Amino acid sequence: MVSTARQIDPPVSEADYFALERDTDIRHELLDGQVFAMVGGSFNHSRIVGNVFRRIGNHLEGKPCEVFAESTKLRFPELIGGFNYVYPDVVVDCSTHLAQDNMLVTPVLIVEVLSRSTRRRDETVKRAAYRQIPTLMEYVLIEQDAVDVEVMRRGSGWLPENYFMGDSLVLESIGVTLRVEEIYERVQNADVEEWVGRNEREA
């Protein structure tokens, strides 16, 4: 999901944030006291979210963990007090009975699809904030304009591992293996086109 920032000084209170959410049809995130409006993303963004959501959902059938996409809010504490409220592109929670006011609070896996408007926040502010969530085991960043899947795991000190076409990655938090080609199914960018063309020539 693409977002635009509304810089307000002093920081926005939680009460004002919820009033904004209640009074408009546009979803907003509150991150470190700043409000970000969530606006529609690209076809590629939606394709990647759908691909990841569908494959994780299939894997979790009959299991206690659940996967949610885009419209489900996640709440987690700020470092300096108060709470952050975000809408991850894909999030897996294995303790949804602990959810509060229809907001997840115990994610084990968060996936964000990068766009020009969200890249800096996803790679910096959110990366640092998400790492403070006690239950989170993995954070995944997926490029949409190129092929690059970055996985950070608590178990390896949040060191990034990158995956490209031809690779498979294991989401250890839920025990599922995804092929990068599956993540980028129907996505249109130069890297995907090059991969498809090379495979066709070698067939």
Side-chain angles (χ1 to χ4, degrees):
M1 186 67 67
V2 178
S3 66
T4 58
R6 293 179 52 185
Q7 299 292 331
I8 300 176
D9 189 19
V12 177
S13 69
E14 290 180 50
D16 287 342
Y17 165 72
F18 279 109
L20 181 64
E21 284 275 88
R22 183 181 63 250
D23 296 338
T24 67
D25 294 329
I26 300 174
R27 286 174 291 161
H28 299 80
E29 293 187 328
L30 179 65
L31 192 62
D32 291 343
Q34 297 297 312
V35 170
F36 302 87
M38 309 303 292
V39 298
S42 67
F43 283 156
N44 278 348
H45 184 284
S46 296
R47 287 166 180 144
I48 292 171
V49 170
N51 291 339
V52 173
F53 176 82
R54 182 170 60 256
R55 284 167 173 80
I56 289 178
N58 291 340
H59 170 74
L60 293 179
E61 285 187 7
K63 298 181 175 65
C65 300
E66 293 184 71
V67 61
F68 302 87
E70 297 186 307
S71 61
T72 301
K73 188 179 291 183
L74 169 66
R75 186 184 84 170
F76 60 96
E78 289 185 3
L79 291 177
I80 57 175
F83 289 92
N84 292 311
Y85 300 88
V86 299
Y87 293 94
D89 287 323
V90 178
V91 57
V92 175
D93 194 306
C94 299
S95 304
T96 54
H97 62 284
L98 298 176
Q100 302 173 6
D101 299 322
N102 290 318
M103 291 180 285
L104 300 176
V105 295
T106 52
V108 298
L109 168 67
I110 293 175
V111 179
E112 298 282 13
V113 179
L114 297 173
S115 66
R116 290 183 179 86
S117 63
T118 66
R119 174 184 300 279
R120 181 172 181 178
R121 189 166 69 260
D122 289 338
E123 291 187 328
T124 57
V125 178
K126 279 188 174 179
R127 186 194 301 250
Y130 285 163
R131 287 167 57 174
Q132 306 306 313
I133 302 174
T135 58
L136 189 69
M137 303 305 296
E138 290 172 302
Y139 180 38
V140 181
L141 293 172
I142 303 176
E143 295 276 1
Q144 61 174 303
D145 297 324
V147 173
D148 187 359
V149 180
E150 183 176 333
V151 182
M152 290 150 282
R153 302 179 177 90
R154 181 178 297 276
S156 58
W158 300 110
L159 294 175
E161 295 184 21
N162 294 79
Y163 300 86
F164 307 94
M165 281 300 200
D167 294 339
S168 293
L169 60 101
V170 178
L171 297 178
E172 298 174 357
S173 57
I174 55 174
V176 64
T177 299
L178 300 179
R179 292 184 293 112
V180 174
E181 301 99 286
E182 296 175 330
I183 294 172
Y184 285 92
E185 183 180 350
R186 296 178 183 258
V187 171
Q188 298 176 0
N189 66 44
D191 286 350
V192 173
E193 292 172 2
E194 180 183 356
W195 171 265
V196 171
R198 184 166 65 246
N199 285 346
E200 288 177 347
R201 289 191 299 270
E202 293 175 354

